[in-house]
Every structure is written in structure tokens, then in C-alpha cells.
Amino acid sequence: MGVEQTVMFCIGAAKAGTSWLSNYLYFHPETGLRAMKEIHYWDCLENRVGAFWRKQHQGRVDYLSERRTRETIVAAQQFQDASLGDLGEWLDTFDGKTRDDAAYLKFLGQGGDAKLIGDITPSYAILSEDMFRAMANVAAKVKFVFILRDPVERLWSHLRMDAAGDATKLAAGLDGFLNNDGAHDHVRRSNYRRTIQRLMNVIPRDALHVEYYERLFMPEAIARLSAFLGITPQPADFARQINQSASADLPVDNRIQLQAQLWPQYNFVGKFMGELPREWTERMVHA
């Protein structure tokens, strides 16, 4: 008989350290997280994007399979093997459209010896209130984690990642955000207020842990997170960087524009958390 397990959903934010957190929790001795990050179960069900994500998962299999042939470091080989195994099993488990919570939980590791199992998929941050309710009710003990990054810095990092070093694409992405009607993916992913309000309508406050990206890579943050998840803090490699975006300076005028457009997010976080972190306020620019 397995131990009482916590099911954790880390719903983002995108470009806010979720890959680092996934790596940390995967190697934690008390957890059963998969090597595969971004499972995309709940968003496939809600948005009918299963065909897209199955194609993405298969592309990841092809990429890792090729990379595995060139890898010489044993630890990296082992992680790649685990990732490939997870991807293959998930493709066999979920067809991208049929809801089967029991099969999903089995894939996550329900019923095993791990204290904590979970799903780290940042795109869950834009799910509906109804889907958050379904997630909250999928198991007896469910907790949510949401990592917040300075809204301007998060958006700029996301735009740089999408542009992949192409200055023309980066400028177009920035212009698109500033002139968008609100339906664009970047706009929705930047809406911390909407995500948290939807969650608070379906779960108690003590089922949500909010941490700042700017403070995540510190022992104190890991201690807070571990206490929330019911696991023992373990040493962490705070210098490790995963999926770092290409560097590019954000012009001051554009920073002022983004800051103004994202100000409702700063205002909400300040009220919800009691104050804004110093790491955010020090970056603010006044016209």
C-alpha cells in the first residue's frame, strides 16, 4: 500500500524557473516526478490541442534520440533515457483528447512510495476556472505552485525565446504584444491576476504556494516550497541554468510601455502578496 501522496501542479509562469524546479524535484529522493516536463493533459482537454502536443512530444522523442547517440556523460545519458521512456509511455497513455484521470494519475505515479507526484506545465496558467476545479478534485490531496517573475522581465524573456536571436522577430513580437487586443498567448500568460483569481475561486488559499522567480534560487525559497509540499529540503544547484533565452537589451522607452501595460499585474500582486518584491520595484522606470 502506497503512502499518502500529494499531487502538485506547477502552473508556471512561463520563463520563471519551472525547468529548474522540475529538475530539482525530479532528483529529490522523496518525489516521483517524471523526467518529462510539460505533460499537457489539462490544456489538451480544454483547448483541443492534443494533435499539436502529440506532434511536439514526438518531435522531442526524435530530438532526444539523436542527441542520445552523441552523449558521452553517463548522468546525461540516464536522464535522456528516462525522458525518452516517459515520452513514449505518455504517448501510449493519452491520445490527446480522451479524458482518463485514472490513467493520467497512474502515469504520474499515484499509488507508489513517493510522497509527492506532479505535473509541471506552465501553459496551465491560462486554463479556465472549471478546469482548475477539475484539477483540484482529481485526487484527495492537491496543491498548486505558481512562480511569479517581474512581469516585464518575464515577457521580455519569453519574446526573446520565441525570436531565437532574430532581431526582426523580436521587434515584431514586442510590437504585437503592445498592440494586441488581449487574445494573444503572451498577453494571457502575463495575466497573473486572472490566473490567481480563478484559482482562488476553486481552492483554499493554503493550497496555493506563490514564490518569486527572483528569490527561487535561494535556500530559504526551497525551504518554503518544501514545507508547503511536505518534503525535506535537499541541496540544490542554484547556479544551474536551463532553457536560458538569448540575451538582448530592452530599450528604456519600451520598458516604460510594457510596464504601463502590465501595471494591473504589478498592482494585483502587490495587494495579493502584501507588497511587491524589492527585485521588481528596483527595475521600475518612471517616464
mmCIF file of all heavy atoms in Angstrom, residues 135-156:
data_model
loop_
_atom_site.group_PDB
_atom_site.id
_atom_site.type_symbol
_atom_site.label_atom_id
_atom_site.label_comp_id
_atom_site.label_asym_id
_atom_site.label_seq_id
_atom_site.Cartn_x
_atom_site.Cartn_y
_atom_site.Cartn_z
ATOM 1 N N MET A 135 -8.907 19.934 -11.799
ATOM 2 C CA MET A 135 -7.573 19.588 -11.331
ATOM 3 C C MET A 135 -7.562 19.463 -9.807
ATOM 4 O O MET A 135 -6.975 18.535 -9.248
ATOM 5 C CB MET A 135 -6.563 20.640 -11.788
ATOM 6 C CG MET A 135 -6.383 20.701 -13.295
ATOM 7 S SD MET A 135 -5.516 22.197 -13.874
ATOM 8 C CE MET A 135 -3.847 21.891 -13.265
ATOM 9 N N ALA A 136 -8.208 20.400 -9.147
ATOM 10 C CA ALA A 136 -8.220 20.401 -7.682
ATOM 11 C C ALA A 136 -8.920 19.181 -7.122
ATOM 12 O O ALA A 136 -8.623 18.739 -5.999
ATOM 13 C CB ALA A 136 -8.895 21.679 -7.173
ATOM 14 N N ASN A 137 -9.852 18.614 -7.884
ATOM 15 C CA ASN A 137 -10.640 17.475 -7.406
ATOM 16 C C ASN A 137 -10.150 16.130 -7.930
ATOM 17 O O ASN A 137 -10.785 15.102 -7.677
ATOM 18 C CB ASN A 137 -12.110 17.663 -7.803
ATOM 19 C CG ASN A 137 -12.767 18.807 -7.069
ATOM 20 O OD1 ASN A 137 -12.453 19.080 -5.912
ATOM 21 N ND2 ASN A 137 -13.676 19.509 -7.735
ATOM 22 N N VAL A 138 -9.020 16.122 -8.634
ATOM 23 C CA VAL A 138 -8.567 14.883 -9.264
ATOM 24 C C VAL A 138 -8.002 13.883 -8.251
ATOM 25 O O VAL A 138 -7.933 12.683 -8.527
ATOM 26 C CB VAL A 138 -7.517 15.189 -10.360
ATOM 27 C CG1 VAL A 138 -6.146 15.520 -9.742
ATOM 28 C CG2 VAL A 138 -7.414 14.048 -11.353
ATOM 29 N N ALA A 139 -7.624 14.362 -7.083
ATOM 30 C CA ALA A 139 -7.064 13.492 -6.042
ATOM 31 C C ALA A 139 -7.423 14.069 -4.672
ATOM 32 O O ALA A 139 -7.885 15.209 -4.565
ATOM 33 C CB ALA A 139 -5.554 13.351 -6.199
ATOM 34 N N ALA A 140 -7.179 13.299 -3.637
ATOM 35 C CA ALA A 140 -7.558 13.723 -2.286
ATOM 36 C C ALA A 140 -6.716 14.899 -1.786
ATOM 37 O O ALA A 140 -7.200 15.745 -1.037
ATOM 38 C CB ALA A 140 -7.440 12.546 -1.321
ATOM 39 N N LYS A 141 -5.466 14.939 -2.208
ATOM 40 C CA LYS A 141 -4.548 15.966 -1.699
ATOM 41 C C LYS A 141 -3.847 16.626 -2.886
ATOM 42 O O LYS A 141 -2.907 16.061 -3.449
ATOM 43 C CB LYS A 141 -3.534 15.331 -0.748
ATOM 44 C CG LYS A 141 -2.740 16.319 0.095
ATOM 45 C CD LYS A 141 -1.895 15.566 1.116
ATOM 46 C CE LYS A 141 -1.131 16.508 2.032
ATOM 47 N NZ LYS A 141 -0.287 15.764 2.999
ATOM 48 N N VAL A 142 -4.316 17.800 -3.257
ATOM 49 C CA VAL A 142 -3.793 18.514 -4.429
ATOM 50 C C VAL A 142 -3.307 19.892 -4.000
ATOM 51 O O VAL A 142 -3.981 20.597 -3.243
ATOM 52 C CB VAL A 142 -4.876 18.660 -5.512
ATOM 53 C CG1 VAL A 142 -4.370 19.510 -6.681
ATOM 54 C CG2 VAL A 142 -5.323 17.287 -6.011
ATOM 55 N N LYS A 143 -2.134 20.262 -4.495
ATOM 56 C CA LYS A 143 -1.574 21.584 -4.209
ATOM 57 C C LYS A 143 -1.063 22.216 -5.503
ATOM 58 O O LYS A 143 -0.618 21.520 -6.413
ATOM 59 C CB LYS A 143 -0.444 21.485 -3.178
ATOM 60 C CG LYS A 143 -0.918 21.010 -1.804
ATOM 61 C CD LYS A 143 0.173 21.107 -0.759
ATOM 62 C CE LYS A 143 -0.353 20.739 0.625
ATOM 63 N NZ LYS A 143 0.677 20.912 1.679
ATOM 64 N N PHE A 144 -1.140 23.529 -5.535
ATOM 65 C CA PHE A 144 -0.718 24.284 -6.705
ATOM 66 C C PHE A 144 0.484 25.165 -6.356
ATOM 67 O O PHE A 144 0.553 25.732 -5.258
ATOM 68 C CB PHE A 144 -1.845 25.182 -7.207
ATOM 69 C CG PHE A 144 -2.994 24.440 -7.848
ATOM 70 C CD1 PHE A 144 -3.957 23.812 -7.061
ATOM 71 C CD2 PHE A 144 -3.114 24.370 -9.227
ATOM 72 C CE1 PHE A 144 -5.023 23.138 -7.645
ATOM 73 C CE2 PHE A 144 -4.167 23.696 -9.830
ATOM 74 C CZ PHE A 144 -5.123 23.075 -9.028
ATOM 75 N N VAL A 145 1.391 25.278 -7.316
ATOM 76 C CA VAL A 145 2.556 26.155 -7.194
ATOM 77 C C VAL A 145 2.553 27.108 -8.373
ATOM 78 O O VAL A 145 2.380 26.684 -9.527
ATOM 79 C CB VAL A 145 3.871 25.350 -7.166
ATOM 80 C CG1 VAL A 145 5.078 26.287 -7.180
ATOM 81 C CG2 VAL A 145 3.920 24.444 -5.936
ATOM 82 N N PHE A 146 2.756 28.388 -8.089
ATOM 83 C CA PHE A 146 2.792 29.410 -9.133
ATOM 84 C C PHE A 146 3.993 30.310 -8.859
ATOM 85 O O PHE A 146 4.071 30.950 -7.813
ATOM 86 C CB PHE A 146 1.499 30.219 -9.111
ATOM 87 C CG PHE A 146 1.230 31.025 -10.362
ATOM 88 C CD1 PHE A 146 1.772 30.680 -11.589
ATOM 89 C CD2 PHE A 146 0.406 32.148 -10.293
ATOM 90 C CE1 PHE A 146 1.502 31.414 -12.733
ATOM 91 C CE2 PHE A 146 0.122 32.891 -11.430
ATOM 92 C CZ PHE A 146 0.671 32.521 -12.653
ATOM 93 N N ILE A 147 4.935 30.326 -9.783
ATOM 94 C CA ILE A 147 6.140 31.139 -9.644
ATOM 95 C C ILE A 147 5.964 32.415 -10.456
ATOM 96 O O ILE A 147 5.719 32.360 -11.672
ATOM 97 C CB ILE A 147 7.388 30.376 -10.124
ATOM 98 C CG1 ILE A 147 7.507 29.034 -9.399
ATOM 99 C CG2 ILE A 147 8.647 31.211 -9.887
ATOM 100 C CD1 ILE A 147 8.596 28.144 -9.953
ATOM 101 N N LEU A 148 6.088 33.543 -9.799
ATOM 102 C CA LEU A 148 5.901 34.833 -10.449
ATOM 103 C C LEU A 148 7.241 35.500 -10.716
ATOM 104 O O LEU A 148 8.083 35.585 -9.824
ATOM 105 C CB LEU A 148 5.043 35.753 -9.574
ATOM 106 C CG LEU A 148 3.692 35.218 -9.104
ATOM 107 C CD1 LEU A 148 2.951 36.297 -8.337
ATOM 108 C CD2 LEU A 148 2.862 34.719 -10.277
ATOM 109 N N ARG A 149 7.409 35.988 -11.924
ATOM 110 C CA ARG A 149 8.593 36.754 -12.297
ATOM 111 C C ARG A 149 8.156 38.171 -12.623
ATOM 112 O O ARG A 149 7.031 38.388 -13.098
ATOM 113 C CB ARG A 149 9.260 36.107 -13.513
ATOM 114 C CG ARG A 149 10.560 36.777 -13.959
ATOM 115 C CD ARG A 149 11.192 35.984 -15.094
ATOM 116 N NE ARG A 149 12.462 36.566 -15.513
ATOM 117 C CZ ARG A 149 13.254 36.037 -16.457
ATOM 118 N NH1 ARG A 149 12.881 34.913 -17.084
ATOM 119 N NH2 ARG A 149 14.392 36.616 -16.778
ATOM 120 N N ASP A 150 9.019 39.139 -12.373
ATOM 121 C CA ASP A 150 8.730 40.519 -12.760
ATOM 122 C C ASP A 150 8.039 40.494 -14.124
ATOM 123 O O ASP A 150 8.585 39.975 -15.100
ATOM 124 C CB ASP A 150 10.040 41.303 -12.831
ATOM 125 C CG ASP A 150 9.852 42.759 -13.209
ATOM 126 O OD1 ASP A 150 9.039 43.043 -14.111
ATOM 127 O OD2 ASP A 150 10.534 43.620 -12.640
ATOM 128 N N PRO A 151 6.797 41.019 -14.225
ATOM 129 C CA PRO A 151 6.031 40.880 -15.464
ATOM 130 C C PRO A 151 6.749 41.345 -16.726
ATOM 131 O O PRO A 151 6.659 40.684 -17.768
ATOM 132 C CB PRO A 151 4.779 41.719 -15.183
ATOM 133 C CG PRO A 151 4.596 41.604 -13.710
ATOM 134 C CD PRO A 151 5.995 41.629 -13.154
ATOM 135 N N VAL A 152 7.450 42.466 -16.644
ATOM 136 C CA VAL A 152 8.175 42.945 -17.819
ATOM 137 C C VAL A 152 9.324 42.004 -18.161
ATOM 138 O O VAL A 152 9.531 41.641 -19.320
ATOM 139 C CB VAL A 152 8.700 44.380 -17.597
ATOM 140 C CG1 VAL A 152 9.667 44.784 -18.718
ATOM 141 C CG2 VAL A 152 7.544 45.367 -17.533
ATOM 142 N N GLU A 153 10.068 41.580 -17.153
ATOM 143 C CA GLU A 153 11.203 40.687 -17.386
ATOM 144 C C GLU A 153 10.736 39.330 -17.923
ATOM 145 O O GLU A 153 11.376 38.736 -18.790
ATOM 146 C CB GLU A 153 11.994 40.491 -16.089
ATOM 147 C CG GLU A 153 12.685 41.737 -15.585
ATOM 148 C CD GLU A 153 13.742 42.239 -16.560
ATOM 149 O OE1 GLU A 153 14.502 41.404 -17.085
ATOM 150 O OE2 GLU A 153 13.793 43.460 -16.794
ATOM 151 N N ARG A 154 9.622 38.824 -17.397
ATOM 152 C CA ARG A 154 9.098 37.543 -17.873
ATOM 153 C C ARG A 154 8.697 37.632 -19.337
ATOM 154 O O ARG A 154 9.042 36.768 -20.158
ATOM 155 C CB ARG A 154 7.881 37.120 -17.045
ATOM 156 C CG ARG A 154 7.450 35.671 -17.269
ATOM 157 C CD ARG A 154 5.940 35.480 -17.237
ATOM 158 N NE ARG A 154 5.295 36.090 -18.388
ATOM 159 C CZ ARG A 154 5.267 35.532 -19.604
ATOM 160 N NH1 ARG A 154 5.848 34.374 -19.838
ATOM 161 N NH2 ARG A 154 4.649 36.159 -20.605
ATOM 162 N N LEU A 155 7.959 38.674 -19.669
ATOM 163 C CA LEU A 155 7.521 38.851 -21.053
ATOM 164 C C LEU A 155 8.707 39.012 -21.996
ATOM 165 O O LEU A 155 8.764 38.393 -23.064
ATOM 166 C CB LEU A 155 6.602 40.061 -21.160
ATOM 167 C CG LEU A 155 6.199 40.426 -22.591
ATOM 168 C CD1 LEU A 155 5.349 39.326 -23.209
ATOM 169 C CD2 LEU A 155 5.485 41.757 -22.634
ATOM 170 N N TRP A 156 9.674 39.833 -21.602
ATOM 171 C CA TRP A 156 10.839 40.081 -22.461
ATOM 172 C C TRP A 156 11.628 38.786 -22.673
ATOM 173 O O TRP A 156 12.093 38.509 -23.786
ATOM 174 C CB TRP A 156 11.712 41.164 -21.842
ATOM 175 C CG TRP A 156 12.881 41.609 -22.683
ATOM 176 C CD1 TRP A 156 14.185 41.634 -22.304
ATOM 177 C CD2 TRP A 156 12.832 42.117 -24.011
ATOM 178 N NE1 TRP A 156 14.964 42.106 -23.321
ATOM 179 C CE2 TRP A 156 14.172 42.422 -24.394
ATOM 180 C CE3 TRP A 156 11.816 42.338 -24.935
ATOM 181 C CZ2 TRP A 156 14.506 42.935 -25.649
ATOM 182 C CZ3 TRP A 156 12.149 42.854 -26.199
ATOM 183 C CH2 TRP A 156 13.473 43.143 -26.532
#
